[in-house]
Amino acid sequence: MSLNIIMLNCCGLCNKLGEIKRLIHEHVPQLLCLTETWINKYEPRFMDYTPILMHRQGQPKGGLGILIHNSIQYQTIDLLPFNGGLLEC
């Protein structure tokens, strides 16, 4: 089985929702990995995908996300935060 994975530095997920949803519709990735989501309150929804989002606390920028297609089985793993909080994982 092969996976279609897309990685995107979105520099603000909410202000590019239309473009990102078009990308999902055209390529139908099993995983869409996002950096620089810049989400502070509103978490968007994506049809047929489960979002796993991690916001950078106390910062206006940063944040990570993975959109997982509902056909993929997965398990989340809690990771220890990086010392000083300067690296997101």
Side-chain angles (χ1 to χ4, degrees), residues 24-36:
I24 290 171
H25 178 74
E26 290 176 1
H27 298 280
V28 192
Q30 283 89 11
L31 298 174
L32 177 59
C33 303
L34 304 167
T35 60
E36 298 296 331

Side-chain angles (χ1 to χ4, degrees), residues 35-88:
T35 60
E36 298 296 331
T37 56
W38 300 359
I39 295 176
N40 50 20
K41 292 182 185 175
Y42 171 72
E43 288 188 6
R45 294 176 163 208
F46 298 88
M47 188 185 298
D48 298 325
Y49 287 84
T50 300
I52 298 177
L53 301 168
M54 180 174 216
H55 313 305
R56 183 177 280 184
Q57 300 300 319
Q59 300 287 327
K61 297 190 177 181
L64 302 173
I66 300 176
L67 302 180
I68 305 169
H69 193 272
N70 291 338
S71 66
I72 301 294
Q73 291 183 340
Y74 69 94
Q75 178 181 351
T76 59
I77 299 172
D78 291 328
L79 299 175
L80 294 175
F82 189 77
N83 254 350
L86 299 175
L87 179 66
E88 296 174 294

